[in-house]
Amino acid sequence: MTPREETIRAFLEEAGWGKATRRSLAGDASSRRYERLLLDGRPAVLMDWPAGPDAPAAETRAAYSRIAHLAEDVRPFVAVGEHLRSLGLAAPEIFARDLTHGLLLLEDLGDHVYGALIEQGRGPSGEALDELYRAAVETLLRLQSVPAPLSLSVGDGTAHEVPRFDDSVFRAELDVPLDWYFPVVLGADATPSMRESYHEIWTGLRPHIDAGVETLFLRDYHSPNMLWLGARSGAARVGLIDYQDALIGSRAYDVVSLLQDARRDVPVEREQAMLALYVERAKDELEGFGEEEFRASYAVLGAERALRLIGLWPRLLKRDGKPQYMAHMPRIMDYLNRNLAHPVLAPLRAWLDAHLPDRT
């Protein structure tokens, strides 16, 4: 038995779950590990997350997780989850915690993952997909209805200071396609002049990202991290996981994540219909909301996110030995092209036409 397994068994024993049956759950693209537990008919989920940074993007740089303000231990998950639950949103309850060793015993939100339901074309009780998407929009409106929290309690007398989508994050994300897509997929490094012109374009686009009222955004609000809880009501019908990397920034960020889902196709008709739903409700429900300003932010953030993802997939392939993510590339290219139709992105579109003309 490894020392880590001994720590886990002691944690479960102290929590009263020492006799639970345990089986592994599918993980994600991170270092976190999950198990599903069952004890006397009661389910729970074990999150096993030893503290530590992501692997460095390059020997001469800090870890990408540190540059991009990605969580490196369970504390942000605990703090953000408590905030979400305080808003009536369905983040899993925490039954037991060991913050020192990175262990949490969580409420099991079930198996109705949005990704699988989208693949099936309906909810588990026959709900139309549009109902699931409408609930997801309602969840975002509820999240964005309160001021962005600068500091969140962890519950142990300390606080999690919520990072902003600042220039550190922004530039780190911009570099991902340059660092990985160009050498891995195109077989040639991005030149210094290409990098300089690319960053200059994004410096000009940055005001569109910063426009409008700030909010807390969850950062990965898409189908793998959402579960359908149809027996609940309102915004609580969407179970939330994987929100530890939440930042303060644009209201458009999570809307893009939802409606330009990295893992499942969102037809342009559904994207536009749900975007219109969000906009119409936001006009009535969110302070300081402007449609033209928001739609520009949505397009710019959509393009930025798509470009980051077309670099992330090759990084997972080359660095982490996870080739399965490359299957998402055509979808992301389609989203990128949708966003590039917005007039504010004309300079970026010209740069991509010159350096990345094959975007299919």
Side-chain angles (χ1 to χ4, degrees):
M1 185 186 303
T2 66
R4 184 66 181 175
E5 177 60 21
E6 290 178 356
T7 300
I8 291 171
R9 290 195 178 189
F11 168 71
L12 293 176
E13 192 67 40
E14 184 175 351
W17 285 73
K19 293 184 172 21
T21 59
R22 299 165 53 187
R23 64 180 178 86
S24 294
L25 279 173
D28 52 24
S30 74
S31 59
R32 294 181 295 277
R33 193 179 67 86
Y34 301 90
E35 292 183 8
R36 172 163 276 160
L37 277 58
L38 190 65
L39 178 66
D40 299 329
R42 293 180 294 141
V45 170
L46 172 70
M47 176 189 282
D48 175 11
W49 186 2
D54 190 10
E59 292 182 2
T60 56
R61 301 183 190 177
Y64 175 79
S65 58
R66 199 151 292 165
I67 298 169
H69 301 330
L70 301 182
E72 297 183 350
D73 59 39
V74 299
R75 297 167 56 79
F77 181 90
V78 172
V80 176
E82 179 58 36
H83 175 70
L84 297 176
R85 289 189 295 277
S86 76
L87 297 176
L89 300 178
E93 182 182 348
I94 300 175
F95 299 144
R97 66 190 73 190
D98 181 343
L99 301 182
T100 301
H101 294 102
L103 297 169
L104 298 177
L105 189 62
L106 304 170
E107 176 188 6
D108 188 341
L109 296 180
D111 293 313
H112 297 312
V113 179
Y114 262 61
L117 300 178
I118 292 169
E119 194 76 11
Q120 295 170 11
R122 63 186 185 281
S125 299
E127 303 93 339
L129 285 185
D130 281 351
E131 182 177 351
L132 276 65
Y133 276 96
R134 283 193 293 269
V137 167
E138 186 173 356
T139 295
L140 289 184
L141 290 164
R142 182 73 189 97
L143 175 65
Q144 297 176 5
S145 68
V146 297
L150 304 182
S151 180
L152 293 171
S153 172
V154 180
D156 63 348
T158 67
H160 168 56
E161 305 302 324
V162 184
R164 277 191 158 83
F165 187 74
D166 58 18
D167 209 55
S168 172
V169 184
F170 183 53
R171 299 297 172 180
E173 292 194 349
L174 292 181
D175 279 333
V176 174
L178 302 177
D179 290 343
W180 295 96
Y181 186 86
F182 277 80
V184 175
V185 178
L186 300 182
D189 290 338
T191 66
S193 63
M194 288 165 58
R195 288 177 177 272
E196 182 180 0
S197 60
Y198 184 75
H199 276 269
E200 284 178 358
I201 289 168
W202 279 105
T203 297
L205 292 171
R206 181 64 198 255
H208 293 290
I209 294 175
D210 294 334
V213 177
E214 287 185 328
T215 190
L216 180 77
F217 64 85
L218 304 185
R219 207 172 190 174
D220 285 316
Y221 187 69
H222 61 164
S223 60
N225 300 329
M226 302 161 65
L227 296 105
W228 179 243
L229 306 173
R232 304 188 188 188
S233 61
R237 291 177 294 170
V238 182
L240 303 172
I241 58 174
D242 200 12
Y243 41 73
Q244 63 283 334
D245 297 328
L247 297 176
I248 293 173
S250 174
R251 286 168 168 165
Y253 199 104
D254 280 345
V255 185
V256 170
S257 297
L258 172 66
L259 300 182
Q260 297 185 8
D261 192 320
R263 310 295 180 84
R264 290 291 184 272
D265 293 336
V266 181
V268 66
E269 297 81 8
R270 174 165 286 128
E271 179 191 8
Q272 293 305 314
M274 293 301 148
L275 186 57
L277 172 65
Y278 171 87
V279 166
E280 289 310 305
R281 288 195 53 179
K283 287 177 182 178
D284 294 333
E285 299 175 27
L286 300 182
E287 181 181 354
F289 182 86
E291 179 176 357
E292 184 176 349
E293 178 181 74
F294 174 82
R295 287 186 179 273
S297 296
Y298 180 91
V300 173
L301 274 167
E304 189 269 346
R305 182 173 183 271
L307 286 164
R308 173 173 59 86
L309 289 171
I310 72 165
L312 176 61
W313 306 145
R315 187 177 80 189
L316 289 169
L317 165 70
K318 186 76 171 179
R319 189 193 73 184
D320 302 333
K322 297 178 178 179
Q324 65 270 27
Y325 292 95
M326 291 296 289
H328 303 305
M329 191 71 78
R331 176 184 307 111
I332 304 305
M333 288 294 189
D334 178 49
Y335 294 150
L336 174 60
N337 290 328
R338 293 184 199 180
N339 292 306
L340 291 174
H342 197 289
V344 300
L345 287 167
L348 178 64
R349 185 167 61 250
W351 189 94
L352 290 169
D353 287 344
H355 301 296
L356 193 60
D358 184 14
R359 299 194 298 273
T360 57

